[in-house]
Amino acid sequence: MALFYEFFAGGGMARAGLGKKWRCAFANDFDSKKAATYAANWGADELHVGDVAKLSTGDLPGAADLAWASFPCQDLSLAGAGAGLKGKRSGTFWPFWKLMEQLQEKGRAPRLMVLENVCGALTSHEGKDFAAIGEALSGAGYSFGAVVIDAVDFLPHSRPRLFIVAVYGDVQIPAALTAEGPEPKWHPDRLVKSYGKLSEKAAARSVWWTLPEPPLRHTIFADVIEDEPKGVRWHTREETKRLLGMMSKLNLSKVQAAKKTGRRMVGGIYKRTRNDENGDKAQRAEVRFDDVAGCLRTPVGGSSRQSILIVEGKDVRSRLLSPREAARLMGLPEKYKLPKNYNEAYHLAGDGVAVPVVRFLAAHILEPMLAAISEAVKKVA
């Protein structure tokens, strides 16, 4: 069974995705509320709650096959202030990395590493942040490659995320796991441009990971929605009317089109600040009816919480997305224990990694790569 460390663990969604072939040897998160949910679902034996900068190699047991780090995205996201890896939150990558270097010095470098974040990590500081990560990995003897995987291929939830997968040492990477060049499905233009910003040294250790076509998704947004949700209430007619009143003509036309479909339509709504016809700032409600939820976010403000609009003929209802519905959109099982507080539960989901995406990555890159490493070790022995 492969061993892994889970950094910035949140509610343990990477652990859920890795599954039964993997055993967690150590988990860490700074947030005590998230850690409480982690403990409720996975137990607290491997969990260390606290600042990653205060960890030492002595806190980490054994030698891990994988170190997974979904480090904070706030300073790298479009909603951030552009601080990037110099920011207070996303900059926690560096103390994590220092810990990895210390493990290497002791001969305990993880065989594999996965760094997960928003796609803004590709363009932050004009690609210099991505290049800095590449420089760190290559300098420590890791070969690495990046892919962008959208959860929408597995769940009715639009959530593209960047995954940097690194392999330690001069291990021969199986040809079946890499492509000769970028593949549009996994390597969008902004990722290809970021590769172009790598130093010569880092580029020499970079690869183009390849993945198979994902299986056809059979679920739609409406499938995860409940008629009698827990933790939220249905809006009154007046509240729904006010929400519709915040829509532009374009978005109202989407509602009208949904009424004519003859089936139950579920739309996701986010409130955004836009310029009105006079050029003044105004809050608008924007809806999508493509059977997919908008990307879940952390509920820093009211506009960051996704609402839903359910249209069945002339009947139109609205409310906030429930915590359990948010969990389903992340691929968490029904038995997963969520915080009782709405914002805490929504924050946990909005700040996590989609479970089936982790499983897909593990099945098609991480596990085959570990098998190749083990085979190589046997031959040397």
Side-chain angles (χ1 to χ4, degrees):
M1 184 174 289
L3 299 181
F4 71 97
Y5 302 146
E6 187 177 15
F7 292 90
F8 313 101
M13 294 184 204
R15 182 170 182 164
L18 288 171
K20 296 180 179 179
K21 294 182 180 180
W22 298 77
R23 182 170 72 81
C24 181
F26 179 85
N28 170 250
D29 202 282
F30 179 77
D31 189 312
S32 60
K33 293 179 180 178
K34 290 180 184 175
T37 302
Y38 191 103
N41 286 280
W42 309 106
D45 290 347
E46 302 86 25
L47 182 62
H48 183 105
V49 184
D51 190 342
V52 67
K54 295 181 179 179
L55 294 175
S56 71
T57 56
D59 295 314
L60 307 177
D65 295 297
L66 167 69
W68 183 288
S70 293
F71 62 101
C73 68
Q74 291 92 334
D75 299 310
L76 296 164
S77 70
L78 292 176
L85 290 182
K86 295 180 180 179
K88 182 178 180 181
R89 292 166 292 187
S90 297
T92 51
F93 168 78
W94 294 116
F96 155 77
W97 180 249
K98 182 180 179 181
L99 187 61
M100 295 300 101
E101 289 181 314
Q102 291 169 346
L103 284 175
Q104 182 191 19
E105 291 170 2
K106 293 182 177 295
R108 296 169 54 199
R111 291 176 169 181
L112 300 177
M113 194 176 299
V114 176
L115 308 175
E116 182 262 340
N117 215 288
V118 295
C119 295
L122 293 170
T123 53
S124 175
H125 290 155
E126 299 180 339
K128 292 179 181 177
D129 284 339
F130 179 79
I133 292 173
E135 189 72 22
L137 289 167
S138 60
Y142 280 88
S143 296
F144 68 97
V147 291
V148 172
I149 307 178
D150 194 337
V152 78
D153 284 325
F154 308 89
L155 301 160
H157 178 195
S158 175
R159 194 179 184 82
R161 286 295 184 265
L162 173 70
F163 297 85
I164 302 173
V165 182
V167 182
Y168 184 64
D170 296 320
V171 179
Q172 184 68 37
I173 298 175
L177 300 184
T178 63
E180 294 184 1
E183 298 176 327
K185 174 68 176 177
W186 311 115
H187 312 112
D189 288 344
R190 54 186 166 174
L191 191 156
V192 176
K193 290 179 181 177
S194 294
Y195 266 57
K197 299 288 181 69
L198 293 172
S199 68
E200 185 175 341
K201 178 183 176 182
R205 295 198 72 104
S206 67
V207 300
W208 298 102
W209 295 114
T210 189
L211 290 160
E213 192 69 22
L216 184 65
R217 173 170 56 83
H218 296 289
T219 56
I220 61 174
F221 192 11
D223 293 333
V224 307
I225 301 302
E226 300 172 316
D227 287 326
E228 298 180 4
K230 295 181 180 179
V232 293
R233 63 171 181 80
W234 288 99
H235 289 161
T236 64
R237 288 183 179 275
E238 290 73 22
E239 288 171 324
T240 299
K241 186 177 180 180
R242 280 199 297 272
L243 193 61
L244 293 170
M246 295 172 64
M247 292 185 182
S248 64
K249 290 182 180 179
L250 174 62
N251 283 276
L252 284 172
S253 68
K254 295 179 184 179
V255 178
Q256 293 303 317
K259 290 180 178 181
K260 297 176 182 178
T261 61
R263 68 181 179 94
R264 183 176 186 244
M265 298 288 288
V266 177
I269 297 176
Y270 272 122
K271 296 174 184 176
R272 307 179 192 277
T273 300
R274 303 293 191 195
N275 290 328
D276 62 17
E277 56 275 8
N278 299 317
D280 297 323
K281 298 288 185 182
Q283 193 174 45
R284 293 291 193 186
E286 299 181 351
V287 65
R288 57 187 295 173
F289 284 105
D290 57 356
D291 291 329
V292 172
C295 186
L296 293 178
R297 306 172 188 172
T298 53
V300 177
S303 61
S304 294
R305 299 182 300 178
Q306 190 165 183
S307 296
I308 59 172
L309 196 72
I310 297 185
V311 179
E312 295 181 271
K314 294 182 178 180
D315 186 30
V316 180
R317 296 181 293 161
S318 64
R319 61 170 170 82
L320 288 173
L321 190 71
S322 79
R324 180 57 62 187
E325 291 161 348
R328 290 175 186 146
L329 289 174
M330 293 301 292
L332 287 167
E334 295 296 303
K335 65 180 181 181
Y336 186 88
K337 299 173 185 176
L338 293 168
K340 293 181 180 180
N341 177 275
Y342 178 90
N343 272 4
E344 289 177 20
Y346 197 95
H347 191 284
L348 188 85
D351 207 27
V353 57
V355 172
V357 173
V358 177
R359 176 88 299 270
F360 183 70
L361 195 65
H364 298 291
I365 294 182
L366 304 182
E367 290 162 5
M369 192 65 240
L370 273 185
I373 293 171
S374 296
E375 193 62 32
V377 170
K378 288 180 182 178
K379 289 181 179 179
V380 172

